[in-house]
Amino acid sequence: MTPDQPACGPFAHDRSTVNRLMLHVCLALLPASLFGLYLFGWPAINLWLLTCAAALLSEAVCLHLLGQPLRRLLDGSALLTGWLLALSLPPWAPWWVGVGGSVFAIGIGKQLYGGIGQNLFNPAMLARVALLIAFPLQMTSWALPHPLGAAGTPDFLDGLRITFAGAAPLDGMSGATALGNLKTQLTLQRSASDILASDFRLLPSLLGYSGGSLGETSTLLLLLGGLWLLALRIVHWEIPLAMLLAVLLPAALAQQIDPLRYPGALYHLSSGGLLLGALFIATDPVTSPVSRVGRLIFGGGCGLLVYLIRTWGNFPEAVAFAVLFMNALSPLIDRTCRPRAYGRNPRGKPLVAASWTRRAKEVDKV
Amino acid sequence: MSHCGGAQIVVRQGKRPWQYFTDALWDYNVALVQMLALCPALAVTTSATNGLGMGLATTLVLIISNAIISSLRHVISPEVRNPLMIGIIAGVVTLIDMAMNAWTHELYQVLGLFIALIVTNCAVLGRAEAFCLKHPVLPSILDGAGSGIGFTWVLVLIGGIREILGSGTLFAQASSLLGVHFQWLELTVLPGFQGILLAILPPGAFIALGFLLAGKRVLDRRRAERRIKTHGELVVLP
Amino acid sequence: MNSEQTDLPVPPEREAEASRLARWRSRVAYQGLSLGLVCALVALALLLGDHFTRDAIASRQQEDQLATLRQVLPARLYDNDPLAEAFRLQDAELGEVEVYPARRGGELVAVALRVGTLGYGGPIVQLIALDNQGRILGVRVLSHKETPGLADKIEAAKSDWITRFAGLSLGNPPLAGWAVQKDGGQFDQFAGATITPRAVVKGILRALQLHARHAGKLAGQPEEVQP
């Protein structure tokens, strides 16, 4: 090798590409998404299609404006952003919420930072928070489950009317999420155990027959997809585990101390977007730390914030806020928790074995 | 002189008095180029009317403080210039605050909150430090007026963007600032529009400012490119 | 930027003076004195400004307060100056509450209470006027930091929501009704904002309860209450 050629390490390639990564995450999301679409009917299907299409279209427009090749559209990252955003929206939201959110996510959340791999914040969650702040009314009207084909469910035309014409859902078709309901009822001096006993059923909540965002309701199907990703090593175990534990442990502890005020761990696990966030959103490789310790800190921070905001904050749900907050910290975490380089200790000094070898060489020379 | 992409780079020589005024409007704009006074530019601009009021009040302070500090420039010793200038600016602002409170009370009810904030406005101290200590009184006054009006149009623009997006109106309540004769300014641009709340909240200010900065750069580049094409030269300000 | 020196050339007879000034300017005593002098001049200007504007400002502020008071207390009800007779009432639950008594012919006809509650973005300060029977004459929000465009409908200028409380009292509606609809009460919340109207209703309820607790003290002997 001549000195002016760059040295090339003996790297092994595991055939993981952005394309493969994104496609597998989408596949893992498929069961929960299909269930969500089935559960919330035609308006949800319209919203999901629109949000994904708008994400792809905004990506294409941005790539064109930036003078980049359009084939980057095929890497699937824009599709995944739109998909995740759609799953985190109220299922019967009007069309402009989904489209506006996608344009914000891709245009401002991703391409303004420099495109794929450059964004500081998770684009889908950035758009979700922007939508929540900009349109609090639309973003907090939740449809109750109306499975496709069941009686009284909006048919295809009704679905179009709800999505595009802003037709108000009929009475009894909308309601509060479990988290929102708890928050309201607690202010009426009712005890948490009382509220949960009357309004909360664990099994339907785990299966997903409850009000909430499009794709976050079915805890079990999300877990299925997440475990598959974990088995493929596309998602590392540190962030989901740390995040779930950081919610469940304080919740269990608080319930032991005062069951009248604090709901338990299973309630937190099965409500809201905790599992979607822990398995699919916080684990975004671009916006999370690199090292194992860093990922544990990141996940733990997300979980703790979720619990704190859910319990004492103004908003009933907090996954998006928690993930964005920890996204902002992840460069700092990366700085403090640098992974050890091969052959060196964490401080960057050569390992004893290396120095021993050098000494041995010097001895050899003599 | 040097060359850049085939174009001759020309540094503009000399300066006519009115150019102190015109340069500050666009090329040396306080908010968009010097990036000063962003705190009021972001905090106050929830509507075009608020932006206009804050801009006009700042312009008044800039002209007066520029004139005073420039006329004292030989007497001020560099070691104590900062406390001196801040003292003078704070005095001017407080006097204006009291006068407006006493005699133009209607206007004060709209702007009262912002007037005291002008003391902490970096643009006022920035112009005093960068310009008035080195220039005679007349150019300083022209610079103050230009900087102030340059600041005002940026504030009105940010306020207008945020107001249209956030509540669908433009120059709402302008008559309480400018008098009943200006009621025609109060427009409802998008009737029945609920508004994107984000635009009114602080993040909306940052996003609007970001797009404004980017827009100005695009315009400047286009202008320079056109000049290179027609004249084959690139004029650079000193 | 703007670095070229544009001062006019200095005539020779002033040059010596300028150099002497330059020498002085580097001395600490000169710096201290100039700083002190400028501060003194600014202080003097402020004193003069205060002297000329003080009365005008005081009367403007008086007018402002009176204008707000007029919105909750109809002027035909009283003939005294409630602002001048304002006093602070000690309450076990709410602490100190500012009270503006409205009298007609020396007899108390109504009081305006200044009550603060915590809203979404910060404290919400309200002025609530009650007649002797504890009926609400009017409510206005004096200051708040709620989200513009969403929760600022509590201002009378933005919406007539706040005027709906006039005529109500502690028994009308019954206690359970004194809440926003989301909490089972009878007052609407705004679309997308529950915390703000909830805080306003809570503040009004507190004022009503305070009035009921101190009704005798307020209506009885006005001399007994210490201003």
Side-chain angles (χ1 to χ4, degrees), chain C residues 18-30:
Chain C
S19 70
R20 207 177 321 138
L21 195 63
R23 244 183 299 126
W24 280 354
R25 283 199 310 192
S26 59
R27 290 195 190 153
V28 176
Y30 173 87

Side-chain angles (χ1 to χ4, degrees), chain A residues 220-240:
Chain A
L220 291 181
L221 289 175
L222 284 170
L223 200 60
L224 187 75
L227 286 177
W228 185 60
L229 285 185
L230 280 171
L232 285 177
R233 303 276 174 94
I234 286 176
V235 160
H236 298 274
W237 57 269
E238 294 93 347
I239 292 175

Side-chain angles (χ1 to χ4, degrees), chain A residues 104 108 130 133-136 138, chain B residues 194-198 201 203 207 211:
Chain A
F104 191 93
I108 291 181
I133 293 171
F135 310 110
Q138 285 79 9
Chain B
Q194 284 180 348
I196 304 169
L197 202 54
L198 184 75
L201 295 173
I207 295 173
F211 276 106

Side-chain angles (χ1 to χ4, degrees), chain A residues 8-56:
Chain A
C8 188
F11 296 123
H13 200 270
D14 70 347
R15 298 190 325 270
S16 80
T17 57
V18 174
N19 202 342
R20 174 176 174 275
L21 216 79
M22 299 292 167
L23 217 65
H24 277 80
V25 177
C26 286
L27 273 178
L29 279 171
L30 206 55
S33 312
L34 286 178
F35 180 76
L37 296 180
Y38 159 73
L39 198 64
F40 295 109
W42 283 109
I45 295 175
N46 294 337
L47 185 71
W48 180 79
L49 283 175
L50 272 174
T51 310
C52 291
L56 286 171

